[in-house]
Amino acid sequence: MEAERRTQMSAEQTENRDLSEQIKEVTKESHVRAENTELMLSFQRGQVTLPQYKLLLCSLYEIYQALEEELDRNSNHPAVAPIYFPAELARLKSIETDLEYFYGPAWREKIVVPAATQRYCHRLRQIGKENPEFLVAHAYTRYLGDLSGGQVLGRIAQKSMGLKGSEGLSFFAFPGVSSPNLFKQLYRGRMNSVELTAEERSGVLEEAVRAFELNIQVFDGLQKMLSVAGNLQQESSTNSNAVYRKTLQLPGSLSPMVRMALGLFVALAAVMGLYAL
């Protein structure tokens, strides 16, 4: 409710502005919060790790699959048609290329995402069916954000992870856009030309705030997954060491041969457990 109230107040203050300017105004606070999530701060500090990036790609794959399927399905809708640029902006194929680079040919079987990603996708599917004009907010938030920071973030990721060339970084490349600045001007102009009723415009602004909130939840969810994985690995290592130490304290009544066999069995079981994580 508080977010909706702020959106309404900002919309009233920018009533005569273009839609793109209104979206920028109402999402100002959310934008700052998104930039200060742990994941985004890792990018800004040049410290993004390979596990962070791979998990991010998994979520981006699911999100863009939902977004682009709904944009394709609603490409003739009067609110969607002006901002429909699949040749220039579509990200799904690029993400698939990156996922195959990192995970191999069977990458689809290795996709793991937090619950927040599933909620994001559900929302995109829902508005694609019920309120296609709201897709304008999500397309603007995702595509122009990626286009604006793509070149810089791509270089940061490449350096942080020690990648050679552009392999694994296709997501950040927009070969169909020769001039990002000129294209963004074109995109904003097309978006501002969309005819919306007062109620629809208000809905689009609220959806833009929601889009940022959903992205923040995804970033936080990814970090929690990484933290849990790290804790499990540390726990497993600690437990494995404890189990191994216990093998050195086997009852003295056992024969040396049996003691050695049991010790090897437990040690091997501990190692296999680590590889299974």
Side-chain angles (χ1 to χ4, degrees):
M1 289 297 293
E2 179 62 22
E4 290 181 9
R5 188 183 66 81
R6 288 199 306 269
T7 302
Q8 185 176 0
M9 289 176 60
S10 299
E12 289 170 357
Q13 292 167 0
T14 60
E15 188 176 1
N16 297 321
R17 293 191 189 178
D18 289 331
L19 181 60
S20 60
E21 292 179 345
Q22 286 183 303
I23 288 179
K24 187 176 181 180
E25 180 64 29
V26 300
T27 59
K28 192 183 298 181
E29 182 183 331
S30 299
H31 198 160
V32 172
R33 287 177 49 231
E35 289 179 338
N36 283 280
T37 57
E38 191 173 346
L39 183 63
M40 288 299 102
L41 286 174
S42 295
F43 267 100
Q44 294 170 41
R45 295 167 181 161
Q47 298 172 345
V48 62
T49 65
L50 186 57
Q52 278 180 319
Y53 185 59
K54 287 167 67 175
L55 273 184
L56 175 61
L57 282 175
C58 289
S59 280
L60 289 175
Y61 172 75
E62 297 288 345
I63 291 165
Y64 273 107
Q65 184 176 48
L67 176 60
E68 292 179 359
E69 284 180 3
E70 294 307 317
L71 287 172
D72 289 345
R73 199 163 60 83
N74 292 282
S75 59
N76 293 321
H77 188 278
V80 175
I83 53 96
Y84 184 64
F85 289 94
E88 292 83 1
L89 296 176
R91 298 287 82 205
L92 195 59
K93 294 297 181 185
S94 299
I95 298 171
E96 289 177 354
T97 300
D98 291 339
L99 286 170
E100 185 169 0
Y101 174 77
F102 288 116
Y103 289 106
W107 60 267
R108 282 184 174 83
E109 300 169 12
K110 301 173 184 176
I111 293 287
V112 180
V113 299
T117 300
Q118 296 169 346
R119 290 195 299 270
Y120 194 165
C121 295
H122 174 75
R123 180 59 183 172
L124 290 168
R125 302 288 189 194
Q126 181 184 27
I127 64 174
K129 294 187 179 98
E130 300 173 5
N131 302 95
E133 65 275 10
F134 289 1
L135 290 170
V136 173
H138 288 275
Y140 176 79
T141 301
R142 282 251 47 110
Y143 285 129
L144 262 64
D146 295 333
L147 189 58
S148 296
Q151 299 298 315
V152 175
L153 292 178
R155 286 194 292 271
I156 291 173
Q158 182 184 42
K159 186 175 180 181
S160 297
M161 297 183 290
L163 298 175
K164 296 179 181 179
S166 59
E167 288 186 306
L169 302 168
S170 299
F171 171 70
F172 298 110
F174 287 81
V177 178
S178 56
S179 171
N181 288 333
L182 288 177
F183 185 82
K184 283 187 288 185
Q185 290 177 22
L186 168 66
Y187 192 96
R188 290 191 185 99
R190 290 284 193 90
M191 189 172 73
N192 294 334
S193 73
V194 173
E195 294 185 5
L196 299 168
T197 65
E199 184 179 357
E200 288 172 337
R201 180 175 286 252
S202 177
V204 169
L205 294 178
E206 287 181 16
E207 195 64 31
V209 175
R210 188 194 296 266
F212 268 97
E213 294 302 319
L214 287 167
N215 276 284
I216 291 170
Q217 290 169 22
V218 169
F219 296 155
D220 289 342
L222 291 172
Q223 279 304 131
K224 285 178 183 175
M225 284 179 67
L226 288 165
S227 297
V228 169
N231 290 338
L232 284 174
Q233 188 172 5
Q234 187 175 6
E235 238 178 76
S236 176
S237 179
T238 302
N239 291 340
S240 297
N241 289 335
V243 169
Y244 180 71
R245 283 197 298 272
K246 286 181 181 178
T247 67
L248 302 179
Q249 300 172 3
L250 292 169
S253 59
L254 295 175
S255 69
M257 184 66 71
V258 173
R259 287 162 62 86
M260 183 177 71
L262 283 172
L264 282 172
F265 174 79
V266 175
L268 282 170
V271 171
M272 292 306 293
L274 281 175
Y275 277 108
L277 286 178

